[in-house]
Amino acid sequence: MPKLIYGVWDGIVYDNRGVDVPVSPEGLDLSLFDHFDEGNPARIFLSERGFLVFSADAPLLWALWKHFDKVASESCGKCSPCRAGAPLLRDALAHACGDGNVDWAQVRDIAEQMAVTSLCGVGKTGPRPLIDALRHFPYDLRAHGGGTDLNGPHGFYSAITSPCIEACPGIVNIPRYIDYIKDGHNDLAANTVLRHYPLVGSCGRVCVRSCESACRRAKVDEPVSIRNLKRFAADQAIASGMLRPQACAPTKDARVAVIGAGPVGISCAYHLLERGYSVDIYEAKSQAGGMIRYGIPIYRLPKYTLQEETDIVAAMGGKFIFNRKLGRDFKVDDLFAQGYEAVFISGGCPLGAYLGMKGEDTSLPDYENGIEFLERVYEGVESGTPPTLKGDVVVVGGGNVAMDCCRAATRIADGKVHLVYRRTEADAPADHEEIAEAKLEGVEFHFLCGQDTLLTENGRITGLRVVDMERTEPDASGRRGVRPIAGSEHILPCAHVIAAIGQTADPSMISDDEGIARDRKHCIIINSAQETSRKGVFAGGDCTSGPRAAGPTTMIMGMGQAYFAARSIDKYLATGKVPFDSRWRMSEWIAQGRLLEDDLPVPGKEKQTRVLLRELSPEERDHNFREVEQTMTQEEAWAEASRCMRCYRVLSVLTASPIPGAEA
C-alpha cells in the first residue's frame, strides 16, 4: 500500500513527513493507488475532494497545471467566473512552472471566487485541490517552479465525470447531451449518445436509469428525467432523418465477424465499421435486435424505432447474415477458416428457465417460460394476429421480464392476471415504475408468496398451489431471506402459468474443443479487454456474465462493453496486443474507492417539478399494443433539461511512468 506523504482530503490536512505512524483518510483504501496501469503507481491524485501526494518529490505544481488545463478545456463558457477564471489559473500555473514569478495571492483569490460563484460543477469543484494546496502547503506547491525540468518520465491522465456518468455502464456524457437539449441542439444531443452506441431511442425507452439513481438533483427535489430526455433527442433525430449515416468504406484489410445481432453485437459492429473494418453480423433469427426485439413488448418499444437504429449498421456497410446460429450452423473455427481475423461473440442468454416445482410438465401447452411467451406475443402482434389466452394467468417472478409478461398478458387474456413473487415488493429487482404500471393495468400482485405445485387435469392447467412466505432475520451480510409459512398453502385457480424467473446461456453455442473457456453456467470467461481465452476471439454481454435480474440493465452495460471490445479488437488487429484504457481504469478507481461520494453541498436551487411523460389511460391500453408512454414536447424537454445541475468533477492522476495511450 502506498504511503500518503501529504495532502488534503475532505477538508482534513495530512502531513506524514517525519511521522512514524502515517495517518490517512478514514474510509479511503490507499491500496487503490498502488497502480493505475500495471506496475505504474500513482504519485499524485487530484479531485474535488482535495489532493493526495504519494511521493516526496512529485511535482504538485505541474500536476495542478495539467489538471487546470483539463478544467479550462471543459468550461462551457456560460458563466464568467469559470470562463475567465479557468484559463487565467491554467496560464498562471504554467507560468509558475516556468520562471516561478506569480502573484500567488491573486491566484488564490481567483480560485476561491471561481469555486464560490461558478454555476456548475466544473467551476465549483475544479479549483478545490489548488485552493487546498495554497491554503495548507504553499511551500510544496512552489517548490517545483522556477524552470525546474518537469517533463520527466511521469505520466498524467485527467477525466471529467459526474455521478450520473459513472452510474451509466456506457460512460455516456449525460450532462453534455442535456446541455445540448437545453440549448436547442437536439441533433448534437443525439450525436453525443451516438458516439457510444446506435440504439439511442431504444435505450431511451427501456433502460432502467441507473444514472437517475445517482442524480444529485434528488437532493433538491427529484432526479432529472435523463432517460426520457435521451428518448426525446433520439426521436427528434429519427424524425429529422439524422439517423441515416453514410456508408463507411472499409479502410482496413481485416474482416471481423460479430455473432449476435442484439444490442451488444450491433454496437460492436457499429464501432468497428467506424474504424474502417469490414464487418459481418451473424444472427440466429430472421431479424436484428435480439431480446429487445423479441423480448420487450411493442407497447414499451415500437419496433419501427428499433428498425431505424439497426438499419444504421446496414447503412454503414455492415452485412447481416440471418438464420445462422453459432453451434448449430457453424463454429468459431469455421469463421477463421473463412478469413475473418477477429470474432466478437454476443450470443446473450436466450434460454428461459422453468420453476422446477412439483407437478411441472414443460410439455403442457399452457405452461411457458417468459422468453418463449414474449417471443410468441411479439410474432403474433407483428403478423397482425396476437395470441389469445382464455382464463386466468399466473406469472411467477419479480424482474422486468416478469413485468413484461404480466403486462403483455393483460392485453391478450380474457381473465385475471396474477403476479406471484416470493419476496417483498421492495425486494423485487424490476423497475418499480414497471410494477406501478402493471398495477394500473389490473395485474393482481401476490408478494411474499411462492409457487409450490402445478395443478393439472386431463393435460390442462387448473391452478397453481402457492404458499405464503415470511422474512427471516438478517444474516451476517444484513440480507433477509424468506421461508414458507407452514399451513399457508392455498390455490390460485388459473389456466396459464408463465415462469419468468431467469435466463441461461446456450451450452450448445460453443463446443469444448474450440479453446474458449466458460464457467459452470456456460458463460464465456473474458478479461478486462473483453478477450476470451482464444486468441482473436472477444465477447461481451449476457453470454459473458449471465442475465441480471433487472433485465434491461444489461442492454446499456452490454453496449458499454461493446464499445471497449471494438477498441480492443482494433488495437489487436493493428498490433497483436490489446490497449490499456485510461478512462475505464479511472471509472474502476471511482467505483472501488467511492471517490464521488462527497458531502459537498448542493447549491441553492428552487424546486422544479419533474416533467412526467404523457401516457395512454388504462382504458386506452385495453387489448392493444400501442406505445403507452409518449415522447416529451420541445417545451417539456427544455423545462426538464433546465433541471440538470451539471455536477461535473475533474479527476486527475500523475503516475511514476508514462501511461499507455495517455498524454504524458
Side-chain angles (χ1 to χ4, degrees), residues 251-282:
T251 59
K252 297 171 182 173
D253 293 333
R255 297 167 60 214
V256 182
V258 171
I259 311 302
V264 183
I266 287 171
S267 296
C268 185
Y270 172 79
H271 292 297
L272 289 168
L273 288 162
E274 283 188 317
R275 287 167 168 77
Y277 291 98
S278 175
V279 182
D280 295 336
I281 307 103
Y282 291 80

mmCIF file of all heavy atoms in Angstrom, residues 251-282:
data_model
loop_
_atom_site.group_PDB
_atom_site.id
_atom_site.type_symbol
_atom_site.label_atom_id
_atom_site.label_comp_id
_atom_site.label_asym_id
_atom_site.label_seq_id
_atom_site.Cartn_x
_atom_site.Cartn_y
_atom_site.Cartn_z
ATOM 1 N N THR A 251 -11.430 0.829 -44.735
ATOM 2 C CA THR A 251 -10.091 1.389 -44.926
ATOM 3 C C THR A 251 -9.017 0.425 -44.432
ATOM 4 O O THR A 251 -7.832 0.715 -44.556
ATOM 5 C CB THR A 251 -9.961 2.722 -44.159
ATOM 6 O OG1 THR A 251 -10.217 2.489 -42.765
ATOM 7 C CG2 THR A 251 -10.943 3.756 -44.696
ATOM 8 N N LYS A 252 -9.449 -0.709 -43.885
ATOM 9 C CA LYS A 252 -8.513 -1.694 -43.361
ATOM 10 C C LYS A 252 -8.819 -3.059 -43.975
ATOM 11 O O LYS A 252 -9.969 -3.359 -44.290
ATOM 12 C CB LYS A 252 -8.602 -1.746 -41.835
ATOM 13 C CG LYS A 252 -8.190 -0.412 -41.190
ATOM 14 C CD LYS A 252 -8.481 -0.361 -39.709
ATOM 15 C CE LYS A 252 -8.099 0.999 -39.142
ATOM 16 N NZ LYS A 252 -8.516 1.159 -37.734
ATOM 17 N N ASP A 253 -7.811 -3.853 -44.109
ATOM 18 C CA ASP A 253 -7.970 -5.129 -44.808
ATOM 19 C C ASP A 253 -8.665 -6.194 -43.965
ATOM 20 O O ASP A 253 -9.329 -7.079 -44.497
ATOM 21 C CB ASP A 253 -6.595 -5.656 -45.242
ATOM 22 C CG ASP A 253 -5.951 -4.775 -46.299
ATOM 23 O OD1 ASP A 253 -6.702 -4.106 -47.036
ATOM 24 O OD2 ASP A 253 -4.708 -4.737 -46.366
ATOM 25 N N ALA A 254 -8.523 -6.131 -42.665
ATOM 26 C CA ALA A 254 -9.027 -7.201 -41.804
ATOM 27 C C ALA A 254 -10.549 -7.250 -41.802
ATOM 28 O O ALA A 254 -11.225 -6.218 -41.811
ATOM 29 C CB ALA A 254 -8.511 -7.016 -40.385
ATOM 30 N N ARG A 255 -11.089 -8.470 -41.780
ATOM 31 C CA ARG A 255 -12.530 -8.696 -41.669
ATOM 32 C C ARG A 255 -12.835 -9.207 -40.260
ATOM 33 O O ARG A 255 -12.089 -10.000 -39.697
ATOM 34 C CB ARG A 255 -12.997 -9.717 -42.697
ATOM 35 C CG ARG A 255 -12.803 -9.289 -44.145
ATOM 36 C CD ARG A 255 -13.004 -10.487 -45.072
ATOM 37 N NE ARG A 255 -14.352 -11.050 -44.933
ATOM 38 C CZ ARG A 255 -14.619 -12.349 -45.042
ATOM 39 N NH1 ARG A 255 -13.650 -13.226 -45.246
ATOM 40 N NH2 ARG A 255 -15.867 -12.779 -44.925
ATOM 41 N N VAL A 256 -13.973 -8.737 -39.721
ATOM 42 C CA VAL A 256 -14.383 -9.136 -38.375
ATOM 43 C C VAL A 256 -15.777 -9.743 -38.441
ATOM 44 O O VAL A 256 -16.667 -9.203 -39.118
ATOM 45 C CB VAL A 256 -14.385 -7.941 -37.406
ATOM 46 C CG1 VAL A 256 -14.770 -8.385 -36.002
ATOM 47 C CG2 VAL A 256 -13.024 -7.249 -37.397
ATOM 48 N N ALA A 257 -15.966 -10.845 -37.733
ATOM 49 C CA ALA A 257 -17.289 -11.471 -37.618
ATOM 50 C C ALA A 257 -17.861 -11.157 -36.241
ATOM 51 O O ALA A 257 -17.180 -11.313 -35.228
ATOM 52 C CB ALA A 257 -17.188 -12.974 -37.808
ATOM 53 N N VAL A 258 -19.100 -10.704 -36.223
ATOM 54 C CA VAL A 258 -19.820 -10.449 -34.981
ATOM 55 C C VAL A 258 -20.938 -11.476 -34.877
ATOM 56 O O VAL A 258 -21.723 -11.648 -35.818
ATOM 57 C CB VAL A 258 -20.395 -9.022 -34.949
ATOM 58 C CG1 VAL A 258 -21.324 -8.834 -33.752
ATOM 59 C CG2 VAL A 258 -19.269 -7.998 -34.908
ATOM 60 N N ILE A 259 -21.007 -12.169 -33.751
ATOM 61 C CA ILE A 259 -22.024 -13.192 -33.537
ATOM 62 C C ILE A 259 -23.118 -12.620 -32.653
ATOM 63 O O ILE A 259 -22.886 -12.280 -31.497
ATOM 64 C CB ILE A 259 -21.435 -14.448 -32.861
ATOM 65 C CG1 ILE A 259 -20.157 -14.899 -33.572
ATOM 66 C CG2 ILE A 259 -22.472 -15.556 -32.811
ATOM 67 C CD1 ILE A 259 -20.326 -15.203 -35.019
ATOM 68 N N GLY A 260 -24.315 -12.499 -33.201
ATOM 69 C CA GLY A 260 -25.444 -11.976 -32.443
ATOM 70 C C GLY A 260 -25.776 -10.559 -32.839
ATOM 71 O O GLY A 260 -24.930 -9.659 -32.737
ATOM 72 N N ALA A 261 -27.019 -10.332 -33.308
ATOM 73 C CA ALA A 261 -27.438 -9.000 -33.739
ATOM 74 C C ALA A 261 -28.334 -8.351 -32.700
ATOM 75 O O ALA A 261 -29.279 -7.633 -33.036
ATOM 76 C CB ALA A 261 -28.145 -9.083 -35.090
ATOM 77 N N GLY A 262 -28.037 -8.613 -31.425
ATOM 78 C CA GLY A 262 -28.697 -7.888 -30.357
ATOM 79 C C GLY A 262 -28.001 -6.563 -30.119
ATOM 80 O O GLY A 262 -27.100 -6.170 -30.870
ATOM 81 N N PRO A 263 -28.378 -5.842 -29.074
ATOM 82 C CA PRO A 263 -27.782 -4.526 -28.820
ATOM 83 C C PRO A 263 -26.261 -4.556 -28.710
ATOM 84 O O PRO A 263 -25.588 -3.628 -29.165
ATOM 85 C CB PRO A 263 -28.421 -4.103 -27.493
ATOM 86 C CG PRO A 263 -29.691 -4.859 -27.425
ATOM 87 C CD PRO A 263 -29.433 -6.167 -28.098
ATOM 88 N N VAL A 264 -25.716 -5.615 -28.101
ATOM 89 C CA VAL A 264 -24.268 -5.689 -27.897
ATOM 90 C C VAL A 264 -23.548 -5.906 -29.223
ATOM 91 O O VAL A 264 -22.589 -5.202 -29.562
ATOM 92 C CB VAL A 264 -23.908 -6.794 -26.888
ATOM 93 C CG1 VAL A 264 -22.408 -6.824 -26.632
ATOM 94 C CG2 VAL A 264 -24.669 -6.592 -25.583
ATOM 95 N N GLY A 265 -24.020 -6.872 -29.994
ATOM 96 C CA GLY A 265 -23.392 -7.144 -31.281
ATOM 97 C C GLY A 265 -23.525 -5.983 -32.244
ATOM 98 O O GLY A 265 -22.574 -5.616 -32.946
ATOM 99 N N ILE A 266 -24.710 -5.369 -32.287
ATOM 100 C CA ILE A 266 -24.923 -4.224 -33.175
ATOM 101 C C ILE A 266 -23.989 -3.078 -32.795
ATOM 102 O O ILE A 266 -23.400 -2.421 -33.661
ATOM 103 C CB ILE A 266 -26.399 -3.777 -33.113
ATOM 104 C CG1 ILE A 266 -27.275 -4.799 -33.842
ATOM 105 C CG2 ILE A 266 -26.582 -2.391 -33.716
ATOM 106 C CD1 ILE A 266 -28.752 -4.567 -33.668
ATOM 107 N N SER A 267 -23.851 -2.828 -31.494
ATOM 108 C CA SER A 267 -22.992 -1.725 -31.054
ATOM 109 C C SER A 267 -21.533 -1.988 -31.385
ATOM 110 O O SER A 267 -20.811 -1.085 -31.819
ATOM 111 C CB SER A 267 -23.157 -1.504 -29.546
ATOM 112 O OG SER A 267 -24.466 -1.086 -29.236
ATOM 113 N N CYS A 268 -21.079 -3.226 -31.189
ATOM 114 C CA CYS A 268 -19.687 -3.547 -31.524
ATOM 115 C C CYS A 268 -19.455 -3.392 -33.024
ATOM 116 O O CYS A 268 -18.451 -2.803 -33.451
ATOM 117 C CB CYS A 268 -19.354 -4.968 -31.060
ATOM 118 S SG CYS A 268 -17.614 -5.406 -31.286
ATOM 119 N N ALA A 269 -20.384 -3.896 -33.828
ATOM 120 C CA ALA A 269 -20.255 -3.757 -35.279
ATOM 121 C C ALA A 269 -20.214 -2.279 -35.685
ATOM 122 O O ALA A 269 -19.424 -1.875 -36.550
ATOM 123 C CB ALA A 269 -21.421 -4.466 -35.965
ATOM 124 N N TYR A 270 -21.037 -1.477 -35.067
ATOM 125 C CA TYR A 270 -21.110 -0.034 -35.328
ATOM 126 C C TYR A 270 -19.751 0.630 -35.114
ATOM 127 O O TYR A 270 -19.268 1.391 -35.969
ATOM 128 C CB TYR A 270 -22.169 0.534 -34.391
ATOM 129 C CG TYR A 270 -22.320 2.025 -34.312
ATOM 130 C CD1 TYR A 270 -23.014 2.733 -35.288
ATOM 131 C CD2 TYR A 270 -21.829 2.730 -33.216
ATOM 132 C CE1 TYR A 270 -23.203 4.107 -35.180
ATOM 133 C CE2 TYR A 270 -22.015 4.097 -33.102
ATOM 134 C CZ TYR A 270 -22.696 4.783 -34.086
ATOM 135 O OH TYR A 270 -22.877 6.133 -33.969
ATOM 136 N N HIS A 271 -19.117 0.334 -33.998
ATOM 137 C CA HIS A 271 -17.824 0.953 -33.700
ATOM 138 C C HIS A 271 -16.711 0.400 -34.590
ATOM 139 O O HIS A 271 -15.787 1.139 -34.958
ATOM 140 C CB HIS A 271 -17.481 0.757 -32.230
ATOM 141 C CG HIS A 271 -18.380 1.521 -31.304
ATOM 142 N ND1 HIS A 271 -18.449 2.898 -31.309
ATOM 143 C CD2 HIS A 271 -19.259 1.106 -30.354
ATOM 144 C CE1 HIS A 271 -19.328 3.299 -30.406
ATOM 145 N NE2 HIS A 271 -19.834 2.238 -29.819
ATOM 146 N N LEU A 272 -16.789 -0.860 -34.950
ATOM 147 C CA LEU A 272 -15.789 -1.424 -35.859
ATOM 148 C C LEU A 272 -15.930 -0.836 -37.258
ATOM 149 O O LEU A 272 -14.927 -0.554 -37.929
ATOM 150 C CB LEU A 272 -15.931 -2.942 -35.907
ATOM 151 C CG LEU A 272 -15.482 -3.694 -34.647
ATOM 152 C CD1 LEU A 272 -15.940 -5.142 -34.697
ATOM 153 C CD2 LEU A 272 -13.965 -3.619 -34.480
ATOM 154 N N LEU A 273 -17.156 -0.645 -37.710
ATOM 155 C CA LEU A 273 -17.378 -0.012 -39.014
ATOM 156 C C LEU A 273 -16.837 1.413 -39.013
ATOM 157 O O LEU A 273 -16.234 1.859 -39.998
ATOM 158 C CB LEU A 273 -18.868 -0.020 -39.345
ATOM 159 C CG LEU A 273 -19.455 -1.390 -39.715
ATOM 160 C CD1 LEU A 273 -20.975 -1.363 -39.598
ATOM 161 C CD2 LEU A 273 -19.026 -1.806 -41.118
ATOM 162 N N GLU A 274 -17.042 2.138 -37.910
ATOM 163 C CA GLU A 274 -16.495 3.488 -37.795
ATOM 164 C C GLU A 274 -14.981 3.483 -37.932
ATOM 165 O O GLU A 274 -14.388 4.446 -38.432
ATOM 166 C CB GLU A 274 -16.862 4.097 -36.447
ATOM 167 C CG GLU A 274 -18.281 4.598 -36.332
ATOM 168 C CD GLU A 274 -18.503 5.368 -35.045
ATOM 169 O OE1 GLU A 274 -18.020 4.913 -33.986
ATOM 170 O OE2 GLU A 274 -19.145 6.418 -35.098
ATOM 171 N N ARG A 275 -14.359 2.409 -37.472
ATOM 172 C CA ARG A 275 -12.894 2.317 -37.514
ATOM 173 C C ARG A 275 -12.379 1.758 -38.840
ATOM 174 O O ARG A 275 -11.178 1.540 -38.980
ATOM 175 C CB ARG A 275 -12.400 1.462 -36.342
ATOM 176 C CG ARG A 275 -12.512 2.181 -35.003
ATOM 177 C CD ARG A 275 -12.320 1.220 -33.835
ATOM 178 N NE ARG A 275 -12.139 1.927 -32.580
ATOM 179 C CZ ARG A 275 -13.119 2.493 -31.879
ATOM 180 N NH1 ARG A 275 -14.368 2.415 -32.318
ATOM 181 N NH2 ARG A 275 -12.862 3.133 -30.751
ATOM 182 N N GLY A 276 -13.269 1.514 -39.792
ATOM 183 C CA GLY A 276 -12.838 1.146 -41.129
ATOM 184 C C GLY A 276 -12.760 -0.332 -41.420
ATOM 185 O O GLY A 276 -12.164 -0.728 -42.431
ATOM 186 N N TYR A 277 -13.374 -1.173 -40.579
ATOM 187 C CA TYR A 277 -13.327 -2.621 -40.812
ATOM 188 C C TYR A 277 -14.528 -3.090 -41.617
ATOM 189 O O TYR A 277 -15.612 -2.486 -41.576
ATOM 190 C CB TYR A 277 -13.276 -3.374 -39.481
ATOM 191 C CG TYR A 277 -11.970 -3.176 -38.750
ATOM 192 C CD1 TYR A 277 -11.865 -2.241 -37.727
ATOM 193 C CD2 TYR A 277 -10.831 -3.895 -39.110
ATOM 194 C CE1 TYR A 277 -10.660 -2.027 -37.071
ATOM 195 C CE2 TYR A 277 -9.623 -3.693 -38.466
ATOM 196 C CZ TYR A 277 -9.540 -2.761 -37.451
ATOM 197 O OH TYR A 277 -8.339 -2.549 -36.810
ATOM 198 N N SER A 278 -14.345 -4.180 -42.313
ATOM 199 C CA SER A 278 -15.444 -4.891 -42.958
ATOM 200 C C SER A 278 -16.039 -5.839 -41.918
ATOM 201 O O SER A 278 -15.319 -6.658 -41.340
ATOM 202 C CB SER A 278 -14.922 -5.675 -44.165
ATOM 203 O OG SER A 278 -15.954 -6.451 -44.731
ATOM 204 N N VAL A 279 -17.350 -5.721 -41.668
ATOM 205 C CA VAL A 279 -17.973 -6.457 -40.574
ATOM 206 C C VAL A 279 -19.189 -7.224 -41.074
ATOM 207 O O VAL A 279 -20.069 -6.671 -41.747
ATOM 208 C CB VAL A 279 -18.422 -5.496 -39.446
ATOM 209 C CG1 VAL A 279 -19.027 -6.289 -38.288
ATOM 210 C CG2 VAL A 279 -17.247 -4.654 -38.958
ATOM 211 N N ASP A 280 -19.255 -8.498 -40.728
ATOM 212 C CA ASP A 280 -20.426 -9.337 -40.979
ATOM 213 C C ASP A 280 -21.040 -9.713 -39.637
ATOM 214 O O ASP A 280 -20.321 -10.086 -38.701
ATOM 215 C CB ASP A 280 -20.050 -10.608 -41.739
ATOM 216 C CG ASP A 280 -19.535 -10.315 -43.143
ATOM 217 O OD1 ASP A 280 -19.876 -9.242 -43.689
ATOM 218 O OD2 ASP A 280 -18.794 -11.149 -43.693
ATOM 219 N N ILE A 281 -22.381 -9.613 -39.552
ATOM 220 C CA ILE A 281 -23.077 -9.907 -38.297
ATOM 221 C C ILE A 281 -23.946 -11.143 -38.501
ATOM 222 O O ILE A 281 -24.889 -11.118 -39.314
ATOM 223 C CB ILE A 281 -23.950 -8.712 -37.848
ATOM 224 C CG1 ILE A 281 -23.114 -7.429 -37.788
ATOM 225 C CG2 ILE A 281 -24.576 -9.001 -36.490
ATOM 226 C CD1 ILE A 281 -23.327 -6.506 -38.956
ATOM 227 N N TYR A 282 -23.635 -12.208 -37.787
ATOM 228 C CA TYR A 282 -24.383 -13.457 -37.865
ATOM 229 C C TYR A 282 -25.470 -13.467 -36.787
ATOM 230 O O TYR A 282 -25.199 -13.212 -35.612
ATOM 231 C CB TYR A 282 -23.453 -14.651 -37.676
ATOM 232 C CG TYR A 282 -22.501 -14.867 -38.827
ATOM 233 C CD1 TYR A 282 -21.328 -14.114 -38.952
ATOM 234 C CD2 TYR A 282 -22.769 -15.812 -39.810
ATOM 235 C CE1 TYR A 282 -20.461 -14.294 -40.011
ATOM 236 C CE2 TYR A 282 -21.900 -16.015 -40.880
ATOM 237 C CZ TYR A 282 -20.749 -15.252 -40.971
ATOM 238 O OH TYR A 282 -19.887 -15.446 -42.028
#
